[in-house]
Amino acid sequence: MKDLEKEYQCAIDLVIDVIGGKWKVLILWNLNEGVKRFNELRRSLPGITQKMLTQQLRELEHHGLIERTVYQQVPPKVEYSTTSQGKKLQATLFAMCEWGDEYAEEKGIEMNRCWTTYDFMKAK
């Protein structure tokens, strides 16, 4: 697991270290809807392997953006949700999704809407 540096030249460098890569932003966006179990997340992220999802979830948890809740029952139940720090990214993720929709439209790129709704942000 990659630890953060003690010093960064720019806040963007820090943000990239915390949420950079193909999957972390998508995981966070998916958790905008609320609590999800591992297999729910995996089904909603076509192409991600179990190993990669596990790794990315651990890193997001390590950096304090999501929390993992384990229920002591048989069979074991584990749920993931965003922390208050992770929720602070929702407006930024919404803006990225909106920008992507507009960009796709301008460029004639066929786009499925983000797989989670972002109507919750429009209401704010």
Side-chain angles (χ1 to χ4, degrees):
M1 179 167 327
K2 182 178 181 185
D3 286 324
L4 299 177
E5 303 294 327
K6 297 291 184 201
E7 182 179 326
Y8 285 88
Q9 295 299 315
C10 173
I12 296 291
D13 289 337
L14 173 61
V15 171
I16 290 169
D17 271 0
V18 174
I19 63 170
K22 180 176 180 177
W23 299 109
K24 288 180 185 170
V25 169
L26 298 174
I27 291 167
L28 288 167
W29 179 256
N30 203 279
L31 288 173
N32 279 340
E33 288 187 329
V35 176
K36 304 268 191 221
R37 294 182 70 179
F38 184 89
N39 282 329
E40 287 178 280
L41 284 169
R42 187 162 178 216
R43 281 190 298 272
S44 67
L45 299 166
I48 195 168
T49 65
Q50 182 171 335
K51 179 182 177 183
M52 180 58 70
L53 180 56
T54 299
Q55 177 186 345
Q56 299 298 288
L57 288 169
R58 285 181 182 155
E59 288 182 19
L60 288 167
E61 183 181 15
H62 177 74
H63 294 304
L65 300 180
I66 66 168
E67 66 182 354
R68 180 178 184 261
T69 305
V70 180
Y71 297 93
Q72 299 301 320
Q73 64 184 48
V74 177
K77 179 180 175 182
V78 178
E79 293 180 333
Y80 296 90
S81 59
T82 50
T83 62
S84 59
Q85 192 69 28
K87 284 179 177 33
K88 291 178 184 179
L89 284 167
Q90 287 180 347
T92 302
L93 298 178
F94 169 73
M96 289 171 62
C97 190
E98 229 178 12
W99 181 89
D101 283 345
E102 290 170 11
Y103 185 82
E105 189 173 327
E106 283 178 18
K107 300 296 182 181
I109 299 169
E110 190 171 324
M111 180 67 61
N112 293 325
R113 198 163 191 92
C114 289
W115 58 88
T116 58
T117 180
Y118 58 93
D119 292 335
F120 73 94
M121 289 300 296
K122 289 182 178 181
K124 289 184 177 188

